[in-house]
């Protein structure tokens, strides 16, 4: 039987090597390894053999099966490579022709507004800073003077990571090193910047943030930009001028009126909410107007709290600063007339085509950031 198996192996491998195409190769596979194939039939005879016969014939039949299977795989790879080479040799693509796309891609409004913000603040001397989206409890809360009992730490508002919580509870890591949540704001970037850089500091921190909330004006993931200035002799007047300059440049209007209202944030003292005046045009609120018809809250801000400065290893008697933060998605809604936040993340090509921007619409202060 050994001689018969060797002859069978030689015959099958010869047929496989001679297969001129994938169809012919598939016929060889079915003939040898299919349900009614020759080798399959040999494998079925093992059950009828005595233990001694099976001990001798089993390895021989399995060796034949493996050799044929490997031969088929190698021949298939050779045939597929030859077919690809022939296709590449016959096809040509003129890279100088314009793209033939029925629906050209567009820049998402959020990406466009991020570019606008970077352009505006770069002109004011701000750099763009980034940080991890999975954060530690210390960077996201404690270093920002947010107490343990603050509602922002509650499970219904923050996405906690079970692995991080377990590590902290087990005492294997402390709150400064255990990455235990998805950041609820980009303020941790401010903390990481103050820890890694020496003042003076002027940064904005745009990026994704996460909170457990969802409706027409809230989504579980949203985009936020925060600004931070740390220097000597910084006052609330510097904050007011910076925000006025930013809002006028962003909405591209000189008749912007801002209102500062006292508020409370754990990480700033004093804290102020910033409202922008709007006028009614055909029943819609349009930002701007020397005599506003009403006010819209757009961001929160204030002077950086002494405890936050101390937590970052700086002397609050020497260094002062201000910080502000606002939602990028809401800025886009306000500027470009969108009334629902949810389509931002639906991926509807019709919405993207309507509200999207051309890749050539690069924001510049000379041509207009919203060009």
């Amino acid at each position: 039987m050994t001689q018969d198996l060797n002859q069978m192996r030689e015959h099958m491998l010869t047929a496989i090597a001679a297969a001129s195409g994938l169809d012919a190769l598939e016929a060889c596979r079915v003939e040898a390894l299919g349900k009614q194939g020759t080798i399959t039939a040999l494998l079925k005879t093992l059950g009828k053999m005595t233990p001694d016969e099976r001990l001798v014939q089993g390895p021989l039949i399995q060796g034949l099966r493996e050799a044929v299977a490997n031969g088929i795989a190698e021949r298939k790879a050779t045939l597929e490579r030859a077919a690809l080479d022939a296709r590449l040799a016959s096809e040509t693509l003129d890279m100088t022709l314009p793209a033939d796309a029925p629906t050209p891609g567009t820049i998402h409004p959020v990406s466009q507004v991020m570019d606008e913000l970077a352009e505006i603040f770069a002109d004011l001397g701000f750099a763009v800073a980034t940080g991890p989206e999975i954060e530690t409890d210390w960077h996201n809360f404690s270093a920002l003077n947010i107490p343990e009992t603050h509602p922002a730490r509650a499970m219904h508002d923050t996405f906690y990571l079970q692995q991080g919580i377990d590590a902290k509870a087990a005492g294997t890591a402390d709150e400064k090193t255990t990455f235990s949540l998805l950041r609820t704001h980009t303020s941790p970037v401010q903390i990481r910047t103050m820890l890694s850089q020496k003042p003076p500091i002027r940064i904005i921190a745009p990026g994704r943030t996460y909170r457990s909330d969802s409706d027409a004006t809230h989504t579980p993931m949203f985009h936020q930009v925060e600004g931070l200035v740390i220097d000597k002799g910084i006052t609330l007047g510097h904050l007011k001028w910076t925000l006025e300059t930013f809002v006028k440049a962003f909405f591209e209007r000189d008749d912007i009126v801002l209102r500062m209202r006292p508020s409370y944030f754990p990480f700033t003292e004093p804290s102020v909410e910033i409202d922008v005046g709007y006028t009614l045009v055909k029943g819609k609120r349009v930002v701007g107007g020397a005599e506003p018809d009403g006010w819209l809250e757009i961001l929160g801000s204030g002077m950086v709290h002494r405890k936050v400065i101390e937590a970052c290893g700086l002397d609050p008697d020497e260094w002062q600063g201000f910080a502000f933060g606002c939602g990028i998605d809401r800025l886009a809604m306000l500027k470009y007339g969108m009334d629902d936040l949810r389509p931002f993340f639906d991926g509807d090509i019709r919405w993207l085509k309507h509200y999207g921007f051309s890749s050539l619409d690069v924001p510049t202060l000379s041509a207009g950031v919203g060009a």
Side-chain angles (χ1 to χ4, degrees), residues 134-165:
I134 301 177
E135 263 296 359
T136 69
D137 181 86
W138 187 84
H139 288 88
N140 196 80
F141 292 126
S142 301
L144 291 162
N145 195 39
I146 300 177
E148 292 284 344
T149 56
H150 196 279
R153 291 179 181 255
M155 289 290 288
H156 68 265
D157 196 49
T158 302
F159 290 106
Y160 285 97
L161 308 180
Q162 189 62 46
Q163 183 178 0
I165 294 173

Short mmCIF file of all heavy atoms in Angstrom, two decimals, residues 134-165:
data_model
loop_
_atom_site.label_atom_id
_atom_site.label_comp_id
_atom_site.label_asym_id
_atom_site.label_seq_id
_atom_site.Cartn_x
_atom_site.Cartn_y
_atom_site.Cartn_z
N ILE A 134 -8.29 59.10 27.66
CA ILE A 134 -8.48 58.28 28.85
C ILE A 134 -7.60 58.88 29.94
O ILE A 134 -6.38 58.93 29.80
CB ILE A 134 -8.11 56.81 28.60
CG1 ILE A 134 -8.98 56.23 27.48
CG2 ILE A 134 -8.26 55.99 29.86
CD1 ILE A 134 -8.64 54.80 27.13
N GLU A 135 -8.22 59.36 31.01
CA GLU A 135 -7.51 60.17 31.98
C GLU A 135 -7.52 59.54 33.37
O GLU A 135 -8.25 58.59 33.66
CB GLU A 135 -8.13 61.57 32.06
CG GLU A 135 -7.40 62.62 31.22
CD GLU A 135 -5.98 62.87 31.69
OE1 GLU A 135 -5.52 62.25 32.68
OE2 GLU A 135 -5.30 63.68 31.05
N THR A 136 -6.69 60.12 34.24
CA THR A 136 -6.69 59.74 35.65
C THR A 136 -7.68 60.61 36.41
O THR A 136 -8.00 61.73 35.99
CB THR A 136 -5.29 59.92 36.27
OG1 THR A 136 -5.00 61.32 36.35
CG2 THR A 136 -4.22 59.25 35.42
N ASP A 137 -8.12 60.09 37.53
CA ASP A 137 -9.03 60.85 38.38
C ASP A 137 -8.35 62.13 38.88
O ASP A 137 -8.98 63.17 39.00
CB ASP A 137 -9.45 59.97 39.57
CG ASP A 137 -10.42 60.67 40.50
OD1 ASP A 137 -11.63 60.62 40.22
OD2 ASP A 137 -9.98 61.28 41.49
N TRP A 138 -7.06 62.05 39.12
CA TRP A 138 -6.34 63.21 39.65
C TRP A 138 -6.26 64.33 38.63
O TRP A 138 -6.55 65.49 38.94
CB TRP A 138 -4.92 62.80 40.08
CG TRP A 138 -4.20 63.90 40.79
CD1 TRP A 138 -4.28 64.23 42.11
CD2 TRP A 138 -3.26 64.83 40.20
NE1 TRP A 138 -3.48 65.31 42.38
CE2 TRP A 138 -2.84 65.70 41.24
CE3 TRP A 138 -2.76 65.02 38.92
CZ2 TRP A 138 -1.92 66.73 41.02
CZ3 TRP A 138 -1.85 66.04 38.70
CH2 TRP A 138 -1.44 66.89 39.74
N HIS A 139 -5.88 64.01 37.39
CA HIS A 139 -5.77 65.05 36.36
C HIS A 139 -7.13 65.62 36.00
O HIS A 139 -7.25 66.81 35.69
CB HIS A 139 -5.11 64.49 35.10
CG HIS A 139 -3.63 64.23 35.26
ND1 HIS A 139 -3.14 63.04 35.72
CD2 HIS A 139 -2.56 65.02 35.01
CE1 HIS A 139 -1.82 63.09 35.76
NE2 HIS A 139 -1.43 64.28 35.33
N ASN A 140 -8.16 64.76 35.99
CA ASN A 140 -9.48 65.20 35.53
C ASN A 140 -10.28 65.93 36.61
O ASN A 140 -11.10 66.79 36.31
CB ASN A 140 -10.29 63.99 35.05
CG ASN A 140 -11.50 64.37 34.22
OD1 ASN A 140 -11.39 64.66 33.03
ND2 ASN A 140 -12.66 64.38 34.83
N PHE A 141 -10.04 65.58 37.90
CA PHE A 141 -10.83 66.17 38.97
C PHE A 141 -9.99 66.80 40.08
O PHE A 141 -10.07 68.00 40.33
CB PHE A 141 -11.74 65.10 39.59
CG PHE A 141 -12.84 64.63 38.67
CD1 PHE A 141 -13.01 63.27 38.40
CD2 PHE A 141 -13.72 65.52 38.09
CE1 PHE A 141 -14.03 62.83 37.57
CE2 PHE A 141 -14.74 65.09 37.25
CZ PHE A 141 -14.89 63.75 37.00
N SER A 142 -9.18 65.99 40.75
CA SER A 142 -8.52 66.45 41.97
C SER A 142 -7.61 67.65 41.74
O SER A 142 -7.65 68.62 42.51
CB SER A 142 -7.71 65.30 42.60
OG SER A 142 -8.56 64.21 42.90
N ALA A 143 -6.78 67.61 40.71
CA ALA A 143 -5.86 68.72 40.45
C ALA A 143 -6.60 69.99 40.07
O ALA A 143 -6.04 71.09 40.15
CB ALA A 143 -4.87 68.34 39.35
N LEU A 144 -7.85 69.85 39.66
CA LEU A 144 -8.67 71.01 39.27
C LEU A 144 -9.54 71.49 40.42
O LEU A 144 -10.51 72.23 40.21
CB LEU A 144 -9.53 70.65 38.07
CG LEU A 144 -8.75 70.45 36.77
CD1 LEU A 144 -9.57 69.67 35.75
CD2 LEU A 144 -8.32 71.79 36.19
N ASN A 145 -9.21 71.06 41.65
CA ASN A 145 -9.91 71.53 42.85
C ASN A 145 -11.38 71.11 42.85
O ASN A 145 -12.23 71.81 43.40
CB ASN A 145 -9.79 73.06 42.97
CG ASN A 145 -10.18 73.56 44.35
OD1 ASN A 145 -9.87 72.93 45.37
ND2 ASN A 145 -10.88 74.69 44.40
N ILE A 146 -11.68 69.98 42.22
CA ILE A 146 -13.04 69.46 42.24
C ILE A 146 -13.16 68.48 43.39
O ILE A 146 -12.50 67.44 43.39
CB ILE A 146 -13.38 68.77 40.89
CG1 ILE A 146 -13.26 69.77 39.75
CG2 ILE A 146 -14.78 68.17 40.94
CD1 ILE A 146 -13.50 69.18 38.37
N PRO A 147 -13.96 68.77 44.40
CA PRO A 147 -14.02 67.93 45.60
C PRO A 147 -14.62 66.55 45.32
O PRO A 147 -15.29 66.33 44.31
CB PRO A 147 -14.91 68.74 46.56
CG PRO A 147 -15.72 69.62 45.66
CD PRO A 147 -14.85 69.94 44.50
N GLU A 148 -14.37 65.64 46.26
CA GLU A 148 -14.85 64.26 46.12
C GLU A 148 -16.37 64.20 46.01
O GLU A 148 -16.93 63.30 45.39
CB GLU A 148 -14.39 63.42 47.30
CG GLU A 148 -12.89 63.17 47.36
CD GLU A 148 -12.44 62.13 46.35
OE1 GLU A 148 -13.31 61.41 45.82
OE2 GLU A 148 -11.23 62.05 46.09
N THR A 149 -17.06 65.15 46.64
CA THR A 149 -18.52 65.12 46.67
C THR A 149 -19.16 65.91 45.52
O THR A 149 -20.39 66.03 45.46
CB THR A 149 -19.03 65.71 47.99
OG1 THR A 149 -18.49 67.04 48.16
CG2 THR A 149 -18.58 64.84 49.17
N HIS A 150 -18.36 66.41 44.59
CA HIS A 150 -18.91 67.23 43.50
C HIS A 150 -19.76 66.35 42.57
O HIS A 150 -19.38 65.23 42.24
CB HIS A 150 -17.78 67.89 42.71
CG HIS A 150 -18.25 69.02 41.85
ND1 HIS A 150 -18.82 68.82 40.62
CD2 HIS A 150 -18.23 70.37 42.04
CE1 HIS A 150 -19.12 69.99 40.08
NE2 HIS A 150 -18.78 70.94 40.93
N PRO A 151 -20.91 66.85 42.12
CA PRO A 151 -21.79 66.05 41.24
C PRO A 151 -21.13 65.60 39.95
O PRO A 151 -21.51 64.58 39.37
CB PRO A 151 -22.96 67.01 40.95
CG PRO A 151 -22.96 67.97 42.09
CD PRO A 151 -21.53 68.14 42.50
N ALA A 152 -20.12 66.35 39.46
CA ALA A 152 -19.46 65.97 38.22
C ALA A 152 -18.77 64.62 38.31
O ALA A 152 -18.54 63.96 37.29
CB ALA A 152 -18.43 67.04 37.83
N ARG A 153 -18.43 64.19 39.52
CA ARG A 153 -17.76 62.90 39.69
C ARG A 153 -18.76 61.73 39.69
O ARG A 153 -18.34 60.57 39.70
CB ARG A 153 -16.99 62.88 41.01
CG ARG A 153 -15.78 63.79 41.06
CD ARG A 153 -15.14 63.68 42.43
NE ARG A 153 -13.96 64.52 42.60
CZ ARG A 153 -12.71 64.07 42.59
NH1 ARG A 153 -12.49 62.79 42.41
NH2 ARG A 153 -11.70 64.89 42.76
N ALA A 154 -20.05 62.02 39.70
CA ALA A 154 -21.04 60.96 39.83
C ALA A 154 -21.02 60.04 38.62
O ALA A 154 -20.68 60.43 37.51
CB ALA A 154 -22.43 61.57 39.99
N MET A 155 -21.42 58.79 38.86
CA MET A 155 -21.42 57.79 37.79
C MET A 155 -22.37 58.17 36.66
O MET A 155 -22.14 57.82 35.50
CB MET A 155 -21.83 56.43 38.37
CG MET A 155 -20.78 55.79 39.28
SD MET A 155 -19.33 55.23 38.38
CE MET A 155 -20.01 53.82 37.53
N HIS A 156 -23.44 58.89 36.97
CA HIS A 156 -24.41 59.23 35.93
C HIS A 156 -23.89 60.29 34.98
O HIS A 156 -24.50 60.57 33.96
CB HIS A 156 -25.73 59.70 36.56
CG HIS A 156 -25.63 61.02 37.27
ND1 HIS A 156 -25.40 61.11 38.62
CD2 HIS A 156 -25.73 62.29 36.81
CE1 HIS A 156 -25.37 62.38 38.97
NE2 HIS A 156 -25.55 63.12 37.89
N ASP A 157 -22.75 60.90 35.29
CA ASP A 157 -22.22 61.97 34.44
C ASP A 157 -20.89 61.60 33.81
O ASP A 157 -20.53 62.11 32.76
CB ASP A 157 -22.07 63.25 35.27
CG ASP A 157 -21.89 64.49 34.41
OD1 ASP A 157 -22.70 64.65 33.46
OD2 ASP A 157 -20.97 65.26 34.66
N THR A 158 -20.13 60.72 34.45
CA THR A 158 -18.79 60.38 34.01
C THR A 158 -18.71 58.92 33.59
O THR A 158 -19.28 58.05 34.25
CB THR A 158 -17.77 60.64 35.15
OG1 THR A 158 -17.85 62.01 35.54
CG2 THR A 158 -16.36 60.32 34.70
N PHE A 159 -18.01 58.66 32.50
CA PHE A 159 -17.77 57.29 32.05
C PHE A 159 -16.51 56.75 32.74
O PHE A 159 -15.40 57.10 32.38
CB PHE A 159 -17.58 57.23 30.53
CG PHE A 159 -18.84 57.51 29.75
CD1 PHE A 159 -19.01 58.71 29.09
CD2 PHE A 159 -19.85 56.57 29.68
CE1 PHE A 159 -20.16 58.98 28.36
CE2 PHE A 159 -21.00 56.83 28.95
CZ PHE A 159 -21.17 58.03 28.30
N TYR A 160 -16.72 55.91 33.76
CA TYR A 160 -15.59 55.31 34.47
C TYR A 160 -15.21 53.98 33.82
O TYR A 160 -16.05 53.26 33.28
CB TYR A 160 -15.94 55.08 35.94
CG TYR A 160 -15.95 56.34 36.76
CD1 TYR A 160 -17.13 57.01 37.02
CD2 TYR A 160 -14.77 56.87 37.26
CE1 TYR A 160 -17.15 58.18 37.77
CE2 TYR A 160 -14.76 58.03 38.01
CZ TYR A 160 -15.96 58.68 38.27
OH TYR A 160 -15.96 59.84 39.00
N LEU A 161 -13.92 53.63 33.92
CA LEU A 161 -13.42 52.37 33.40
C LEU A 161 -13.31 51.38 34.55
O LEU A 161 -12.65 51.66 35.55
CB LEU A 161 -12.05 52.57 32.74
CG LEU A 161 -11.98 53.69 31.69
CD1 LEU A 161 -10.58 53.78 31.12
CD2 LEU A 161 -12.99 53.43 30.58
N GLN A 162 -13.92 50.21 34.41
CA GLN A 162 -13.96 49.25 35.50
C GLN A 162 -12.56 48.80 35.90
O GLN A 162 -12.26 48.65 37.07
CB GLN A 162 -14.79 48.04 35.09
CG GLN A 162 -15.07 47.08 36.24
CD GLN A 162 -15.88 47.73 37.36
OE1 GLN A 162 -16.87 48.39 37.09
NE2 GLN A 162 -15.45 47.57 38.59
N GLN A 163 -11.69 48.61 34.92
CA GLN A 163 -10.33 48.16 35.23
C GLN A 163 -9.60 49.19 36.08
O GLN A 163 -8.91 48.86 37.03
CB GLN A 163 -9.55 47.90 33.94
CG GLN A 163 -8.14 47.36 34.18
CD GLN A 163 -7.41 47.07 32.88
OE1 GLN A 163 -7.95 47.26 31.81
NE2 GLN A 163 -6.19 46.59 32.99
N GLY A 164 -9.77 50.48 35.73
CA GLY A 164 -9.13 51.53 36.52
C GLY A 164 -9.68 51.59 37.92
O GLY A 164 -8.94 51.74 38.89
N ILE A 165 -11.00 51.45 38.06
CA ILE A 165 -11.62 51.50 39.38
C ILE A 165 -11.11 50.34 40.24
O ILE A 165 -10.77 50.52 41.40
CB ILE A 165 -13.15 51.44 39.25
CG1 ILE A 165 -13.66 52.71 38.56
CG2 ILE A 165 -13.81 51.31 40.62
CD1 ILE A 165 -15.13 52.67 38.24
#
